Amino acid sequence: PAPAHPPPPPIPEGQEDVAYQWLEYDVSKVGVHAAKSVLARQRVGGKVTLADMKASFSTGVDNTGNVCLWPAEEVMLHYLLEHSAELEGKHICELGAGVGLAGLALGVAVKAKSLLLTDGNEACVANLSTAVEGNRMAPAGLAASEMAARLLVWSEKLSSLDVPRAGTFDLVIAADCLFFKDFHKALVHTLVTLLADSGRALLFAPLRGDTLELFCKAAKGKLDIKREERYDEAVWTAHQAALQAGIDGAAAVAGAVARGEGAED
């Protein structure tokens, strides 16, 4: 990615000592998106402040989305753009977006009906909102008809009244969101609440201990689950090369989750 320089946004209260940098990602070589780029905004050095820690202790929501852009998000972006024709005219929501690269890129490159980028961390949501506006004001603008960012904390008490268009999303996406086991049941309920009857979720997760297995166990009976590791030849080839080079955490497994009752594959 190359540095980009949109106008500096207002600094949220309590984050005055946090430095952000704009990055411009070229996505023109992925799928059929000629001359397209997306702007993302992330903290310099992954700095976490005292205000971040206080907010985390008070809300129970972690700060991982403030730290960096995680590799699973880049893998998810590649996969979605390779299959972008299937996303035209859809209502799409990203959970635990963090930096939100994948959701932002869909907003720039795909003619979706709506895109909602969400996170449970208020600082992440403020940054996402700034990034959405940065892409909206860029020369190419947005391809999506609607795009916004909002706070969404996963909860087993979440109702369809809590989120705009809940129960109508054609696709919900998330990258590396299965690490915290205590949130699995809340995530399952959130997915069920957000998805349309014919909707599906794409969850991209590195193999971190038994977290994927435990999530699938929590979702059994509530969602139809299909797990797939070799879902894209380019990703698989890069993964194998990383394993041979001894790079840890190279794998990202896509768990395709559909609504409804059913067996686990």
Side-chain angles (χ1 to χ4, degrees), residues 10-26:
I11 300 174
E13 184 177 354
Q15 302 294 339
E16 291 82 2
D17 58 344
V18 177
Y20 284 85
Q21 61 182 344
W22 285 93
L23 300 174
E24 182 174 3
Y25 282 78
D26 180 5

Side-chain angles (χ1 to χ4, degrees), residues 87-144:
L87 309 181
E88 302 271 330
K90 304 295 186 183
H91 294 295
I92 303 170
C93 176
E94 181 172 9
L95 296 178
V99 174
L101 177 64
L104 292 167
L106 292 184
V108 168
V110 178
K111 294 179 180 178
K113 274 188 179 178
S114 70
L115 268 162
L116 181 62
L117 279 61
T118 72
D119 201 284
N121 185 293
E122 290 186 0
C124 282
V125 174
N127 184 47
L128 285 169
S129 297
T130 301
V132 169
E133 293 309 309
N135 283 282
R136 195 189 310 277
M137 294 186 297
L142 298 177

Side-chain angles (χ1 to χ4, degrees), residues 169-219:
F169 284 103
D170 303 294
L171 178 67
V172 176
I173 59 175
D176 206 350
C177 285
L178 306 184
F179 179 71
F180 295 103
K181 303 172 187 178
D182 291 343
F183 295 123
H184 283 177
K185 290 183 179 179
L187 176 55
V188 170
H189 180 77
T190 300
L191 289 170
V192 172
T193 302
L194 295 179
L195 286 168
D197 289 340
S198 59
R200 61 174 180 150
L202 286 174
L203 309 183
F204 286 74
L207 294 176
R208 299 184 186 278
D210 60 353
T211 56
L212 180 60
E213 296 288 344
L214 291 175
F215 172 78
C216 290
K217 183 178 180 180

Side-chain angles (χ1 to χ4, degrees), residues 30 39 48 55 147 181 185 197 207 218 223 237 248 251 261 265:
V30 184
L39 301 176
V48 176
M147 189 173 184
K181 303 172 187 178
K185 290 183 179 179
D197 289 340
L207 294 176
L223 297 164
T237 300
D248 292 334
E261 305 280 339
D265 292 333

Side-chain angles (χ1 to χ4, degrees), residues 1-176:
H5 305 284
I11 300 174
E13 184 177 354
Q15 302 294 339
E16 291 82 2
D17 58 344
V18 177
Y20 284 85
Q21 61 182 344
W22 285 93
L23 300 174
E24 182 174 3
Y25 282 78
D26 180 5
V27 296
S28 61
K29 296 180 181 179
V30 184
V32 294
H33 310 289
K36 289 285 187 181
S37 62
V38 58
L39 301 176
R41 188 170 175 265
Q42 65 180 12
R43 293 187 179 187
V44 176
K47 184 175 182 179
V48 176
T49 68
L50 180 59
D52 292 326
M53 298 305 296
K54 288 180 178 178
S56 181
F57 288 138
S58 102
T59 64
V61 178
D62 64 88
N63 279 299
T64 53
N66 288 318
V67 175
C68 68
L69 172 65
W70 297 93
E73 180 89 3
E74 296 177 301
V75 173
M76 181 167 74
L77 165 62
H78 171 86
Y79 181 87
L80 291 171
L81 290 185
E82 287 285 7
H83 297 81
S84 60
E86 304 168 20
L87 309 181
E88 302 271 330
K90 304 295 186 183
H91 294 295
I92 303 170
C93 176
E94 181 172 9
L95 296 178
V99 174
L101 177 64
L104 292 167
L106 292 184
V108 168
V110 178
K111 294 179 180 178
K113 274 188 179 178
S114 70
L115 268 162
L116 181 62
L117 279 61
T118 72
D119 201 284
N121 185 293
E122 290 186 0
C124 282
V125 174
N127 184 47
L128 285 169
S129 297
T130 301
V132 169
E133 293 309 309
N135 283 282
R136 195 189 310 277
M137 294 186 297
L142 298 177
S145 298
E146 298 177 21
M147 189 173 184
R150 68 171 285 134
L151 188 73
L152 175 56
V153 178
W154 310 337
S155 170
E156 292 181 70
K157 298 180 180 179
L158 188 74
S159 99
S160 59
L161 300 178
D162 296 325
V163 186
R165 291 203 172 89
T168 68
F169 284 103
D170 303 294
L171 178 67
V172 176
I173 59 175
D176 206 350

